[in-house]
C-alpha cells in the first residue's frame, strides 16, 4: 500500500491505484505491527490494512506500536495500550 494525499486528506492505494483506505484522514503514517496511526481533526487512533478502525480516534497523541504496546496521551495522562485498546499498567 502507498500513502496518497488529495486536497489535504490522506489514505492508501494499492499497486493498481485502487483506493483501499479512504482519503479522509488529516494525517496518516506507515504500518507498524499491522496497524497505522491516523488523525482526524485533533484526535488519533489506529486502523488496520483494510481501513477498519481498531483503536478509536479519541487520543490526544499516540506513538507507533512497539512490542505490542503503544504510548498514548488522553486528557493529560500518558499510558500504554495494547492492540485491543486496553490500558496496560507498567
Amino acid at each position: 500500500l502507498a500513502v496518497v494525499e488529495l486536497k489535504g486528506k490522506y489514505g492508501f492505494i494499492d499497486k493498481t491505484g485502487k483506493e483501499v483506505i479512504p482519503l479522509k484522514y488529516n494525517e496518516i503514517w506507515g504500518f507498524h505491527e499491522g496497524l497505522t496511526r491516523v488523525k482526524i481533526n485533533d484526535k488519533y487512533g489506529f486502523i488496520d490494512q483494510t481501513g477498519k478502525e481498531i483503536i478509536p480516534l479519541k487520543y490526544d497523541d499516540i506513538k507507533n506500536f512497539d512490542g505490542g504496546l503503544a504510548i498514548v496521551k488522553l486528557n493529560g495522562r500518558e499510558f500504554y495500550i495494547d492492540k485491543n485498546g486496553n490500558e496496560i499498567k507498567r
Side-chain angles (χ1 to χ4, degrees):
L1 299 177
V3 175
V4 291
E5 180 266 335
L6 179 66
K7 298 180 183 176
K9 299 293 181 181
Y10 296 84
F12 281 92
I13 59 170
D14 65 15
K15 290 182 180 182
T16 69
K18 179 183 174 205
E19 185 179 290
V20 178
I21 297 175
L23 283 78
K24 66 178 187 177
Y25 299 99
N26 299 114
E27 293 183 38
I28 202 164
W29 289 263
F31 285 92
H32 293 271
E33 298 188 21
L35 301 175
T36 184
R37 298 182 286 162
V38 292
K39 177 182 176 184
I40 293 180
N41 299 321
D42 289 328
K43 296 298 177 183
Y44 296 84
F46 288 93
I47 61 172
D48 67 12
Q49 292 184 357
T50 68
K52 180 180 177 189
E53 187 178 292
I54 303 299
I55 308 291
L57 281 80
K58 67 178 187 178
Y59 295 99
D60 302 319
D61 194 18
I62 58 177
K63 303 296 181 197
N64 286 328
F65 277 94
D66 183 19
L69 298 177
I71 299 172
V72 298
K73 289 183 183 177
L74 181 63
N75 300 324
R77 281 185 57 231
E78 184 174 279
F79 53 95
Y80 288 89
I81 60 169
D82 64 17
K83 289 186 178 181
N84 294 316
N86 299 312
E87 184 174 341
I88 302 297
K89 303 289 184 200
R90 290 194 103 195

